[in-house]
């Protein structure tokens, strides 16, 4: 009897230890997810990377000045760039929190059922289509073909319902360099590889990439680029850009997470998303 009691006393801790190990093993994958957060610099893609063979590369050049924001005072910005030429600024603000809120999982959880307005990706963006954000991600967010015309593409950028998205935008730290007598308006977007907007112009502003990479082509107001308003930037890059004389070629620069590009008033510009990209612009009106 004494022997049986000792065996039971010895076996019970083993059973409890085995159950504890089993429970820990079942929980381990979830714990790993918690221990591997998204990189703060946006290099992890925020879950937005698409499973496709589309890989667009830039040519590793940048014809625009690229500066650390700490090396440029507000007065220097006004004197050197605000009214005359573009500039790319690094570490201008800290949007780590906004970047985390823009991960695919977080945005779908919070805004999946809300309506977004898509625009045709041509110079004039006439056609508008309203869909749920979930449908946009599931159906429309994909790589773009070079054969598609601008008026046949639908692009999520701008046309945000500010009241519905205010809880997101209030976490964005906008560029501190503003122009006198202007006010800021946000335009938020998410788009697949190969998408973008062909050449157009408007007032000055800043554009920041949250996830992905965005290639910019820019020309001053008095140097209108050669382009067709209904041809996509991707087809322009393939068909027109390689044959342009050097003196007619636009400035060319690719920005990534945490970089902010400033473009002055009335500068022509076209954009091309090299990856699935999340981005936000601050227009100064």
């Amino acid at each position: 009897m004494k022997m049986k009691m000792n065996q039971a006393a010895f076996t019970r801790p083993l059973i409890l230890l085995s159950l504890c190990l089993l429970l820990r093993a079942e929980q381990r994958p979830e714990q790993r997810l918690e221990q591997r957060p998204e990189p703060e610099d946006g290099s992890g893609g925020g879950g937005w990377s698409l499973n496709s063979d589309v890989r667009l590369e830039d040519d590793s050049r940048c014809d625009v000045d690229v500066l650390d924001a700490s090396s440029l005072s507000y007065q220097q910005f006004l004197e050197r760039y605000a009214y005359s030429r573009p500039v790319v600024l690094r570490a201008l603000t800290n949007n780590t929190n906004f970047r985390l809120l823009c991960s695919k999982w977080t945005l779908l959880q919070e805004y999946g059922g809300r309506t977004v307005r898509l625009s045709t990706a041509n110079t004039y963006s006439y056609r508008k289509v309203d869909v749920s954000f979930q449908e946009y991600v599931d159906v429309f967010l994909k790589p773009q073909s070079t054969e598609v015309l601008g008026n046949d593409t639908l692009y999520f950028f701008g046309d945000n319902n500010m009241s519905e998205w205010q809880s997101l935008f209030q976490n964005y730290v906008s560029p501190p360099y503003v122009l006198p007598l202007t006010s800021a308006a946000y335009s938020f977007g998410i788009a697949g590889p190969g998408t973008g907007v062909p050449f157009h112009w408007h007032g000055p502003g800043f554009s920041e990439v949250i996830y992905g990479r965005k290639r910019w082509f820019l020309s001053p107001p008095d140097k209108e680029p050669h382009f067709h308003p209904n041809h996509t930037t991707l087809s322009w890059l393939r068909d027109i850009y390689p044959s342009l004389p050097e003196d007619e070629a636009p400035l060319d620069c690719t920005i990534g997470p945490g970089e902010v590009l400033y473009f002055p008033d009335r500068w022509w510009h076209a954009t091309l998303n090299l990856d699935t990209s999340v981005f936000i612009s601050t227009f100064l009106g």
Side-chain angles (χ1 to χ4, degrees), residues 147-280:
E147 308 306 321
V148 176
L149 292 176
N151 61 5
D152 293 326
T153 65
L154 287 168
Y155 189 67
F156 172 41
F157 177 56
D159 288 318
N160 311 121
N161 184 321
M162 290 299 294
S163 60
E164 287 196 345
W165 293 79
Q166 181 60 32
S167 59
L168 176 66
F169 295 155
Q170 69 185 8
N171 290 280
Y172 178 64
V173 181
S174 60
Y177 298 162
V178 295
L179 303 186
L181 304 178
T182 64
S183 58
Y186 296 144
S187 191
F188 179 70
I190 302 170
T195 61
V197 180
F199 281 103
H200 62 287
W201 60 266
H202 44 66
F206 296 90
S207 180
E208 179 170 359
V209 170
I210 308 302
Y211 292 110
R213 296 169 300 153
K214 182 183 285 287
R215 190 171 177 181
W216 283 75
F217 305 94
L218 305 108
S219 289
D222 60 351
K223 192 175 177 181
E224 182 174 349
H226 295 280
F227 73 101
H228 188 290
N230 198 32
H231 289 180
T232 64
T233 305
L234 188 60
S235 64
W236 173 87
L237 181 65
R238 180 195 64 184
D239 301 333
I240 304 298
Y241 186 55
S243 60
L244 288 176
E246 186 174 345
D247 62 342
E248 295 182 17
L251 301 179
D252 183 345
C253 189
T254 298
I255 61 172
E259 294 182 321
V260 178
L261 182 140
Y262 169 78
F263 50 88
D265 186 27
R266 296 178 179 269
W267 268 66
W268 291 95
H269 55 279
T271 59
L272 178 66
N273 296 298
L274 302 180
D275 313 300
T276 301
S277 301
V278 180
F279 45 91
I280 185 168

Side-chain angles (χ1 to χ4, degrees), residues 41 52-53 68 113 125 207 248 280:
D41 63 358
S52 75
D53 296 329
D68 189 286
S125 295
S207 180
E248 295 182 17
I280 185 168

